[in-house]
Amino acid sequence: MGDHDKKIERNYSTHTLSNLEKIDPHLMFMYLAMFGSALIFLFMIIAYSLSKPDVSDFNNFKFPKAFIVSMVLLLISSFSISKSLPAFENGNFNVVKKSLGITLILSIAFTICQYLGWYQLNETGIYLGGRSSGAYLYVISGLHVVHLVAGIIFLSSIFFQIASAAKDPVRQLMMETNPYQKIKLEILSKYWHYMDGLWIFLFFYFLFSF
């Protein structure tokens, strides 16, 4: 490797480190948490794939329609939450409140649909305490719900803060000028899109597994 190539490599490394140092610590923690979460789901999917029985064991299996509805709900919620950060940057707290409120309602509806999906699985003879492959359907989708509930709690906290500030111009100004408030919305949006993308992957994997 020539001196010129070494210089380019050093500059690239310096540039990369510089970009990493600019990332907010809260965002960095979220990225690491998402990476760890993705690994857990990957291991669960591998275990599920290895435990799958013959297709004949699932002759009466019908993919839960509630899971289809839940995917649509989560897609819409991902779209609605994407409106919150631009609105916050423009100081339009009413739009932020509406965006977060719609997302909150859709996320609760998603959770209910997941429960209905488990009920439909049970009705088709796929039980939590049955074959390991069938149980994984509950465990993996349930683990996703647990992750989403954590997001719902965070979403609810931000929603009520925004709703309260929208009524008070002074509090609204304080929130607008507080960089951490924007970071929180950014973390929430990225986490929500991650949960959305994860469920889409799980949905189609389950759908085409049988």
Side-chain angles (χ1 to χ4, degrees), residues 73-202:
L73 290 173
L74 201 58
L75 282 172
I76 298 174
S77 74
S78 190
F79 173 76
S80 66
I81 204 169
S82 67
K83 304 293 183 181
S84 61
L85 187 57
F88 181 85
E89 292 173 337
N90 292 328
N92 196 335
F93 273 48
N94 286 325
V95 173
V96 179
K97 181 177 71 172
K98 181 180 179 181
S99 171
L100 296 179
I102 291 173
T103 304
L104 182 59
I105 293 171
L106 290 172
S107 63
I108 294 173
F110 171 88
T111 305
I112 294 172
C113 281
Q114 293 299 89
Y115 175 80
L116 294 176
W118 296 330
Y119 176 79
Q120 291 172 359
L121 279 176
N122 190 77
E123 288 294 297
T124 60
I126 309 298
Y127 306 112
L128 177 59
R131 287 180 178 270
S132 58
S133 54
Y136 272 119
L137 290 172
Y138 290 92
V139 174
I140 296 174
S141 58
L143 185 60
H144 178 269
V145 169
V146 170
H147 280 69
L148 188 70
V149 168
I152 291 175
I153 295 172
F154 188 39
L155 166 62
S156 300
S157 173
I158 297 177
F159 169 74
F160 288 115
Q161 289 178 10
I162 292 292
S164 178
K167 303 175 184 178
D168 186 345
V170 176
R171 288 192 62 186
Q172 182 173 328
L173 180 61
M174 290 176 62
M175 289 191 73
E176 284 184 64
T177 55
N178 186 350
Y180 181 58
Q181 296 299 332
K182 180 181 176 181
I183 289 294
K184 288 200 299 184
L185 272 177
E186 189 175 352
I187 290 173
L188 178 64
S189 296
K190 290 181 182 299
Y191 182 79
W192 212 264
H193 294 319
Y194 164 70
M195 294 307 301
D196 187 8
L198 179 60
W199 179 245
I200 291 174
F201 169 76
L202 294 174

Side-chain angles (χ1 to χ4, degrees), residues 21-94:
E21 289 173 354
K22 292 179 181 178
I23 299 177
D24 183 88
H26 299 89
L27 279 173
M28 179 62 73
F29 178 79
M30 183 201 65
Y31 290 140
L32 292 174
M34 285 166 54
F35 177 74
S37 171
L39 287 179
I40 292 174
F41 278 100
L42 177 61
F43 293 144
M44 294 290 288
I45 286 292
I46 292 174
Y48 165 71
S49 300
L50 294 176
S51 69
K52 279 174 54 179
D54 294 334
V55 177
S56 59
D57 292 333
F58 281 77
N59 282 335
N60 297 323
F61 177 79
K62 293 181 180 179
F63 194 80
K65 293 181 180 179
F67 282 176
I68 300 174
V69 175
S70 67
M71 186 186 71
V72 174
L73 290 173
L74 201 58
L75 282 172
I76 298 174
S77 74
S78 190
F79 173 76
S80 66
I81 204 169
S82 67
K83 304 293 183 181
S84 61
L85 187 57
F88 181 85
E89 292 173 337
N90 292 328
N92 196 335
F93 273 48
N94 286 325

